[in-house]
Amino acid sequence: MRKVVLYHLMSLDGVAYEDGDWLADDGPQLVTYLGRVIESQDDVVMGRRTYDYWAGHWPKSDFEPFAGFINGTRKHVVTSTALTQEWANSTAVAASATDHVTALKRQPGRDIGIHGSIFLARTLLQAGLIDELRLVVAPAVVGHGNRVFEGETLQQWRLRDLERGTNGTLFLDYSRTA
């Protein structure tokens, strides 16, 4: 069965989205880590807000390795309305996120990525559908903003790998425990 991998950037206090320049630049190490995360993925599931923002950005971006990956990868967009922006390999998904991801996990293929999409990530975490966490934790306390880990019930994760960036960023890989 395929794995669902959540990749997220966040601050020490768990903020995953807030305007501002709080993510420390760890140069090529951040790009290398991202490359390792996406190299095993051939599907991405995202929410509508992330899609609308990314569809206007990534097709014109030259930030590699992510631009080539996200533009060429199958994108499953959980939404109740038709997509209004064209973006290659994108499909609107009217089914519930949990039902769709459960079905995707049963299909042949590589890992399924969740990038951005905070509210979708929360839904899939609460449903127990995330198999691995790949977190980039910046050495900053933001204080307010959207958090991925909010309102969760207890879940146990096993640390598989840890890297430290030159500016204090942590690159953390976790697997769900049985």
Side-chain angles (χ1 to χ4, degrees), residues 62-126:
D62 61 358
F63 177 78
E64 295 300 346
F66 198 72
F69 162 77
I70 199 66
N71 289 322
T73 299
R74 291 182 301 266
K75 293 169 281 296
H76 306 259
V77 185
V78 180
T79 181
S80 60
T81 59
L83 301 177
T84 56
Q85 295 184 68
E86 290 291 322
W87 190 12
N89 306 307
S90 298
T91 304
V93 175
S96 77
T98 56
D99 289 346
H100 186 72
V101 170
T102 299
L104 269 181
K105 287 181 78 162
R106 291 185 183 124
Q107 294 175 5
R110 302 174 77 206
D111 292 345
I112 302 160
I114 310 295
H115 301 265
S117 301
I118 292 170
F119 300 107
L120 173 64
R122 279 190 208 153
T123 297
L124 297 176
L125 277 163
Q126 290 170 354

Side-chain angles (χ1 to χ4, degrees), residues 5 37-44 69 110-113 115:
V5 178
V37 170
I38 63 177
E39 72 185 359
S40 66
Q41 299 176 4
D42 61 2
D43 283 284
V44 171
F69 162 77
R110 302 174 77 206
D111 292 345
I112 302 160
H115 301 265

Side-chain angles (χ1 to χ4, degrees), residues 19-42:
D19 289 335
D21 191 22
W22 52 268
L23 182 63
D25 180 11
D26 265 304
Q29 192 172 6
L30 178 60
V31 174
T32 300
Y33 183 74
L34 174 60
R36 284 198 315 267
V37 170
I38 63 177
E39 72 185 359
S40 66
Q41 299 176 4
D42 61 2

